[in-house]
Amino acid sequence: VRLVIEDDAAAVARTTAAVLLGTMLTDRRTNLSVTAGATPAPTYALLTPLLAARPEVFADVHYYTFDEAPLPGRDRGLTLSALDEAYFGPAAVAPGNVHALTPGNVDEIRADLRAHGGLDLMLLGLGADTHFCANLPGVTRFDADIYTYEVPADQPWSHLLTGLDPAPTEVVTMGAPTVLRARRVVLVVTGAAKAGALAEVLTGEIRPERPGTILRTHPDLLVVADREAAARLPASVRAA
Amino acid sequence: VRLVIEDDAAAVARTTAAVLLGTMLTDRRTNLSVTAGATPAPTYALLTPLLAARPEVFADVHYYTFDEAPLPGRDRGLTLSALDEAYFGPAAVAPGNVHALTPGNVDEIRADLRAHGGLDLMLLGLGADTHFCANLPGVTRFDADIYTYEVPADQPWSHLLTGLDPAPTEVVTMGAPTVLRARRVVLVVTGAAKAGALAEVLTGEIRPERPGTILRTHPDLLVVADREAAARLPASVRAA
Amino acid sequence: VRLVIEDDAAAVARTTAAVLLGTMLTDRRTNLSVTAGATPAPTYALLTPLLAARPEVFADVHYYTFDEAPLPGRDRGLTLSALDEAYFGPAAVAPGNVHALTPGNVDEIRADLRAHGGLDLMLLGLGADTHFCANLPGVTRFDADIYTYEVPADQPWSHLLTGLDPAPTEVVTMGAPTVLRARRVVLVVTGAAKAGALAEVLTGEIRPERPGTILRTHPDLLVVADREAAARLPASVRAA
Amino acid sequence: VRLVIEDDAAAVARTTAAVLLGTMLTDRRTNLSVTAGATPAPTYALLTPLLAARPEVFADVHYYTFDEAPLPGRDRGLTLSALDEAYFGPAAVAPGNVHALTPGNVDEIRADLRAHGGLDLMLLGLGADTHFCANLPGVTRFDADIYTYEVPADQPWSHLLTGLDPAPTEVVTMGAPTVLRARRVVLVVTGAAKAGALAEVLTGEIRPERPGTILRTHPDLLVVADREAAARLPASVRAA
C-alpha cells in the first residue's frame, strides 16, 4: 500500500487527478472505473474540464461502471445517473466509451473487459462501513467477480436504497476478484467520518463483513487521504 | 484463474517447466520463488539440466525462498536444504542469485525484493489442508506480508516439524500479501490426495483457516493439475 | 537482447514452444503474431497438438497475421494460406481468433489491435537479407506502423513473388513501429544460411536497407538460434 | 505516440508534473531519468515542492542521470550540477536515491539498472537539432546502450562545451537502446525554436544524423508540447 496523506480535500483532489491523468496519457487504450459519490467531486472538478477540452487526446480512454442499482421505470440506474452528471457529462466522454454494468449484462461486461485488456485503474471511495463499489456488509462475497443481489430489508444501509422513489430492488457490483485484477487501485478518502473505516481497511482482519479490508491485498493500492481521514492510522502504517 | 488439466504428472511437468522457462527467457532480471516438496520434482527434472547447461543465459534469474524452518545447530534450514538438493544444485544456480529467507532477515528480504522489482513468478504447491508456503491452518494471517511464528504443539501438522531431529522451533513465511503481489502465481497440483484441497481453493469460502482459498484472488493464477487432482472440480470451474 | 544458442533445430523448437506456451497460459487474453516459413515448423510440430487438445484452455489466444500478399482470384493470400496449413489448422484455432491482415483492412486491424490491448508476443523469422515480416530491402520504411507496397520488379527477392501463379502484386506488412510495440519479440533463426544475417541484426548499423537491424532496439528481444545460425556472432554478443 | 498540445508552457508543466507524479505514486520502487535544461523548469517548479514535503511517500523513487560531461577539477559534472540545482536539491532527494552516470561507471550503472528493474520513465527534452540526452548530431550511435565520446572540435554544438571554463573533454550518455527500454518516455517541448525539431522527430526519416527521430519507435511515447512547438506538425500527426 502506498499512502499519501494530504493536508485537505483540495490537495487530495490535485493528487488524485494527477494520478488519473498520468494513467490516461499513455499511448494505448486505457480502461478505467471511477466512483460516484461526494468524495471525488473535487477531483472531477479539476479533471473533467481538461478531458472535455482535449477529446482527441482522450479518445482511447474507456470507462466501466463498477456497480448499478436499476431504478424501476427509468432508463438509467443510480450509478450511471450519478456518473453522467459528475463525470461523463462534464468530461464529454463519448457514449461508446462508457460500458455500463447492469444486472442484465454481467456476462457481456465480463467478456468485454477480458477482450479489451482488463481494467487499468479503479478509483474507489470508501464507506464508513468499509464498503467499496456495492460490496456492502451482509451481502459481500469475496469470491464472485461480478454478482447481483436483492436489496435486503434489514441491513443498516438498506434504507439508503429502499427509501428512494423509485426504489431499486436489485444491485449488481464488481466484486473483490475484479477489483484485485485492476492494475492499479486508487482509494480516495476524506473527512473525519471515514477515519475509522480507513484504519480498519489498512489494519483490520480481512473478512467479508468488513468488505474494504480485502483491498490491501492488492499489489498496487494507492490511498490518498486527507489528515482527517488519516487521523486514526497507527504510526506503523503512516511510516510504511 | 487459468486452469490446465493434464493427463498425468509428466504432462504437468512439461507444461510447468515451459511456463517457468518462458518467464526466465526475458531480457531483464527475473525474480522467482519456487517450491520444494515432491510435487514439482518432475518439473525440476526437466528444467534444471537446461539451466545448468546455459549459465550465461540464466545469469539474471534470481531466487527468493518463500519460507524457512531453521534447524537448530545447522547452517541451512529445511527449505533451503531441500531446494539446494532439488533445484539450486542441479540447476547450478550461482550462490549470489539465491536470496534465502530466514526468521532473522525479514526486513532485509523485504527491502531486497522491493529494490529489485518484486517477484515475477511464484511456483507453489498445495497441501491437502490447502496450505501454501508455510501458511498453515491455525497460524495463517492474511494480512502479514512476511511473518514468523513458533511451531505450535497442537496442530494436525505439528508433528511434521516437531518430529524432526533436530526439530525446528520457529517458522518464517511469505504471507498472502507477498504472494498476491507476484506478477504470476503458478500452482502445481498432482494426485488424488490433493483433489479436495484444489476444489476448496477454487470454490470454497476465502478464510485463513483454509489458507489456499486466498490464492484465487490473484489476478494471474495458473493452476496446472493432473486429472486426479482435478477430479473434484465442478463443471463450472472446468469450463471457465 | 537475450540470446539463447541451442545445439540444433530440435532444441530451438523446444525452447521456442516453451516461450510461446508460457505466454499463452496467462489468465487473460493474449494477442500473438506468428511467422510462417520453414524455420518455425519444428516449433509448431511441438506446439499445435497441445493447443488442439485443450481448446478451452487456449480460447483467449488471438492471432494477428503480420503480413499478406493477396493472390489474385483466391480467397486467402500467401501468408494466411501458409499459416492455416502450418499452425491454425493443426492447432484448431477458432476462426474468430484469427485476425487476418490484408491490404484492404489496415485501418480495421490497427483499431482492432489497439482496442484489444496490443500484441503480447511476435514470433519472427529472419531472412538471409535480414528481412522480417514483409519488411524487405528496398521497400522497408522504419516509420510506418502498417504499410502496403506494390511488388517491385527489380529487387533480388522480386522473383519469389512474381514467379508465383497466380502472382501477388501488392503486399501489406506490419512495420517496425508495430513490431517494436509488441511486449515480447522472439526471433527464431536456424541454419548456416542465416548466420550472416543474424550477426548483422545484432551488430550492424541500424538502417532500413537491412531491415532486421531495427529489431535489437526492442526492449525485450529473445533470439533463439542454433549453433549454425550463431556461428558468426562475435564473442561480445555471445557473452552479453 | 500520444501527443498533447497545451496552450502554453504553464499548461505543459501541469500536465508533465501530473504524469511524473502518477508514475511515482505506485506501491513499488520507481526508477526515473529526468532532464536538465530550461524546458522542464516550470514542471519542476510545480513538482519539487510536493516531493520535498512528503519524503516518506517518495522514498522509493530513484533517479538515474542519463548523461554527463565531467568538468576537469570539479567533483560534479555539468548534468549532475544542473540537476542538483533544478531538481534533486529542491525535491530533497536522498543522496542514495541518485545514481549518477559518469564516463567511469558505465558498467556499474548498466548493472545497477538491470538489477533494479530498469527505467520506468524518462523525461526528455529536445534540442533544436533533435538531440536528446547527449545523443548529438555527428556523434550519435543508435546501437550503443550507454556510450562515451570525446568532445569534437568541429560540430555546430561543440562550442557549447569547449567554450566552458573548465571545459569538459569527454561525454557519456545513455543511447537509443536504453531510452527505448524505458517503460514510458515523456518528451516535453516548448517554444517556437523547437517547432522544426518536433516535426522532424514525429515525421522525418529515422537516422542517427537526426537523433530524436528514433524516439517515435518507442511503444509508449508521450509528447507534451505547447502550441508554438507544435506549430509545424502536419494535421495527420495532430489527429493521430
Side-chain angles (χ1 to χ4, degrees):
Chain A
V1 179
R2 177 74 65 191
L3 172 66
V4 183
I5 304 174
E6 302 285 8
D7 286 342
D8 52 33
V12 166
R14 282 196 301 270
T15 296
T16 307
V19 171
L20 287 167
L21 203 59
T23 295
M24 294 174 184
L25 286 175
T26 58
D27 186 21
R28 53 183 184 80
R29 171 173 167 149
T30 48
N31 299 318
L32 308 184
S33 270
V34 296
T35 184
T39 305
T43 298
Y44 299 164
L46 293 176
L47 188 63
T48 57
L50 300 176
L51 303 182
R54 300 270 185 283
E56 77 287 0
V57 170
F58 300 100
D60 280 331
V61 182
H62 287 248
Y63 298 88
Y64 291 78
T65 55
F66 58 57
D67 62 12
E68 190 54 277
L71 296 172
R74 304 244 174 116
D75 281 349
R76 300 176 306 163
L78 267 188
T79 296
L80 185 58
S81 299
L83 281 171
D84 275 346
E85 187 171 348
Y87 192 109
F88 302 141
V93 176
N97 287 28
V98 175
H99 306 249
L101 179 66
T102 68
N105 72 357
V106 170
D107 287 343
E108 289 87 335
I109 290 290
R110 186 183 285 126
D112 179 347
L113 265 176
R114 180 168 278 268
H116 294 96
L119 291 171
D120 293 289
L121 185 149
M122 294 190 84
L123 176 67
L124 303 180
L126 184 68
D129 54 8
T130 84
H131 84 261
F132 63 99
C133 310
N135 296 287
L136 282 141
V139 296
T140 290
R141 296 169 49 196
F142 275 168
D143 64 338
D145 66 339
I146 309 178
Y147 64 102
T148 61
Y149 56 85
E150 300 294 314
V151 174
D154 57 349
Q155 292 290 338
W157 47 270
S158 297
H159 68 283
L160 297 175
L161 295 174
T162 57
L164 296 176
D165 180 19
T169 61
E170 192 181 16
V171 172
V172 62
T173 187
M174 294 187 189
T178 296
V179 174
L180 295 175
R181 286 176 73 96
R183 288 181 192 84
R184 295 181 79 176
V185 174
V186 181
L187 184 67
V188 57
V189 196
T190 56
K194 303 290 180 67
L198 183 57
E200 199 163 7
V201 160
L202 295 183
T203 65
E205 185 192 346
I206 297 172
R207 57 200 173 101
E209 292 76 19
R210 306 305 281 173
T213 54
I214 193 77
L215 293 176
R216 75 177 188 275
T217 68
H218 188 277
D220 194 5
L221 173 65
L222 172 67
V223 176
V224 188
D226 65 3
R227 289 187 185 284
E228 293 184 336
R232 296 199 201 169
L233 295 178
S236 60
V237 168
R238 291 164 173 271
Chain B
V1 180
R2 178 73 67 190
L3 171 67
V4 182
I5 304 174
E6 301 285 6
D7 286 342
D8 50 33
V12 166
R14 282 196 300 272
T15 295
T16 307
V19 171
L20 287 167
L21 203 59
T23 294
M24 294 174 187
L25 286 174
T26 58
D27 186 21
R28 52 181 184 81
R29 170 173 168 149
T30 49
N31 299 319
L32 308 184
S33 269
V34 297
T35 185
T39 306
T43 298
Y44 299 162
L46 292 176
L47 187 65
T48 57
L50 300 176
L51 303 183
R54 300 271 185 283
E56 77 287 1
V57 170
F58 299 100
D60 279 332
V61 182
H62 286 249
Y63 297 88
Y64 291 78
T65 56
F66 57 57
D67 62 13
E68 190 54 275
L71 296 173
R74 304 242 176 119
D75 281 350
R76 300 175 308 163
L78 267 187
T79 295
L80 186 58
S81 299
L83 281 171
D84 275 346
E85 187 171 349
Y87 191 108
F88 301 141
V93 176
N97 286 29
V98 175
H99 307 247
L101 179 66
T102 67
N105 73 355
V106 169
D107 287 344
E108 289 88 333
I109 291 290
R110 186 183 286 126
D112 180 348
L113 265 176
R114 180 167 278 267
H116 294 95
L119 291 171
D120 293 289
L121 185 148
M122 294 190 83
L123 177 66
L124 303 180
L126 184 68
D129 54 8
T130 84
H131 83 260
F132 63 99
C133 310
N135 296 286
L136 281 140
V139 295
T140 290
R141 298 169 48 196
F142 276 169
D143 64 338
D145 66 340
I146 309 179
Y147 64 102
T148 62
Y149 55 85
E150 299 296 312
V151 174
D154 56 350
Q155 292 291 337
W157 47 269
S158 297
H159 68 283
L160 297 175
L161 294 174
T162 56
L164 297 175
D165 179 19
T169 60
E170 193 181 14
V171 172
V172 62
T173 187
M174 293 186 189
T178 296
V179 174
L180 296 174
R181 285 176 74 97
R183 289 182 190 83
R184 297 181 77 176
V185 175
V186 180
L187 185 66
V188 57
V189 196
T190 56
K194 303 288 180 68
L198 183 56
E200 199 163 7
V201 161
L202 295 184
T203 65
E205 185 193 345
I206 296 172
R207 56 199 174 102
E209 293 75 21
R210 306 305 281 172
T213 54
I214 193 76
L215 293 175
R216 76 178 188 275
T217 68
H218 187 276
D220 194 5
L221 174 64
L222 172 67
V223 176
V224 188
D226 65 4
R227 288 189 185 285
E228 293 185 336
R232 295 198 201 169
L233 295 178
S236 60
V237 169
R238 291 165 174 271
Chain C
V1 178
R2 179 72 67 189
L3 172 66
V4 182
I5 303 174
E6 301 285 7
D7 286 342
D8 51 33
V12 166
R14 283 196 300 272
T15 296
T16 307
V19 171
L20 287 166
L21 204 58
T23 295
M24 294 174 186
L25 286 174
T26 59
D27 187 22
R28 54 182 183 79
R29 170 174 167 149
T30 49
N31 299 318
L32 308 185
S33 269
V34 296
T35 184
T39 305
T43 298
Y44 298 163
L46 292 176
L47 187 64
T48 57
L50 300 176
L51 304 182
R54 300 271 186 284
E56 76 287 0
V57 170
F58 300 100
D60 280 332
V61 182
H62 286 248
Y63 297 89
Y64 290 79
T65 56
F66 58 57
D67 63 13
E68 191 55 277
L71 296 173
R74 304 241 175 119
D75 280 351
R76 301 176 307 164
L78 268 188
T79 296
L80 186 58
S81 299
L83 281 171
D84 275 347
E85 186 171 349
Y87 191 108
F88 302 141
V93 176
N97 287 29
V98 176
H99 307 249
L101 178 66
T102 68
N105 73 355
V106 169
D107 287 344
E108 289 88 335
I109 290 290
R110 185 183 287 127
D112 179 347
L113 265 176
R114 180 168 278 267
H116 294 95
L119 290 171
D120 292 289
L121 185 149
M122 295 190 83
L123 176 67
L124 303 180
L126 184 68
D129 53 8
T130 84
H131 83 261
F132 63 99
C133 309
N135 295 288
L136 282 140
V139 296
T140 290
R141 296 169 48 196
F142 275 169
D143 64 339
D145 67 338
I146 309 178
Y147 64 103
T148 61
Y149 55 85
E150 300 294 313
V151 175
D154 57 349
Q155 293 289 340
W157 47 270
S158 296
H159 68 283
L160 297 174
L161 295 174
T162 57
L164 297 175
D165 180 19
T169 61
E170 193 180 15
V171 172
V172 62
T173 186
M174 294 185 188
T178 297
V179 173
L180 295 174
R181 286 176 74 96
R183 287 182 192 84
R184 295 181 79 176
V185 175
V186 180
L187 185 67
V188 57
V189 197
T190 55
K194 302 289 180 66
L198 183 57
E200 201 163 5
V201 161
L202 295 184
T203 66
E205 186 193 344
I206 297 172
R207 57 199 173 102
E209 292 75 21
R210 307 303 284 172
T213 55
I214 194 76
L215 293 175
R216 76 176 186 277
T217 68
H218 188 276
D220 194 5
L221 174 64
L222 172 67
V223 175
V224 189
D226 65 4
R227 289 190 185 283
E228 293 185 336
R232 296 199 201 169
L233 295 178
S236 60
V237 168
R238 291 165 174 270
Chain D
V1 179
R2 178 74 66 191
L3 172 66
V4 182
I5 303 174
E6 302 285 7
D7 286 342
D8 51 34
V12 165
R14 283 196 300 272
T15 296
T16 307
V19 171
L20 287 167
L21 204 58
T23 296
M24 294 174 186
L25 287 174
T26 59
D27 187 20
R28 53 180 184 79
R29 171 173 167 149
T30 49
N31 299 319
L32 308 185
S33 270
V34 296
T35 185
T39 306
T43 299
Y44 300 163
L46 293 176
L47 188 64
T48 57
L50 300 176
L51 304 183
R54 300 270 186 283
E56 76 287 359
V57 170
F58 300 100
D60 280 331
V61 182
H62 286 248
Y63 298 88
Y64 291 78
T65 56
F66 58 56
D67 63 12
E68 190 53 276
L71 296 172
R74 304 241 176 118
D75 280 350
R76 300 176 308 163
L78 268 187
T79 296
L80 185 57
S81 300
L83 282 171
D84 275 346
E85 187 171 348
Y87 192 108
F88 302 140
V93 176
N97 287 28
V98 176
H99 306 249
L101 178 66
T102 68
N105 73 356
V106 170
D107 287 344
E108 290 87 336
I109 290 290
R110 185 184 286 126
D112 179 347
L113 265 176
R114 179 167 279 267
H116 295 95
L119 291 170
D120 292 289
L121 185 148
M122 294 189 84
L123 176 67
L124 303 181
L126 183 68
D129 54 8
T130 83
H131 83 261
F132 63 99
C133 309
N135 296 286
L136 282 142
V139 297
T140 290
R141 297 168 48 196
F142 275 169
D143 63 338
D145 66 340
I146 308 178
Y147 64 103
T148 62
Y149 56 84
E150 299 295 313
V151 174
D154 56 350
Q155 293 289 339
W157 47 270
S158 297
H159 68 284
L160 298 175
L161 295 173
T162 57
L164 297 175
D165 180 20
T169 61
E170 194 182 14
V171 173
V172 61
T173 187
M174 294 186 188
T178 297
V179 175
L180 296 174
R181 286 176 74 97
R183 289 182 190 84
R184 297 182 77 177
V185 175
V186 180
L187 185 66
V188 58
V189 197
T190 55
K194 302 290 179 67
L198 184 56
E200 201 164 4
V201 160
L202 295 183
T203 65
E205 185 192 346
I206 297 172
R207 57 198 173 101
E209 291 75 20
R210 306 306 282 172
T213 54
I214 193 77
L215 293 175
R216 75 177 189 275
T217 68
H218 188 275
D220 195 4
L221 174 64
L222 172 67
V223 176
V224 188
D226 65 4
R227 289 189 185 284
E228 293 184 336
R232 296 198 201 169
L233 295 178
S236 60
V237 168
R238 291 165 174 271

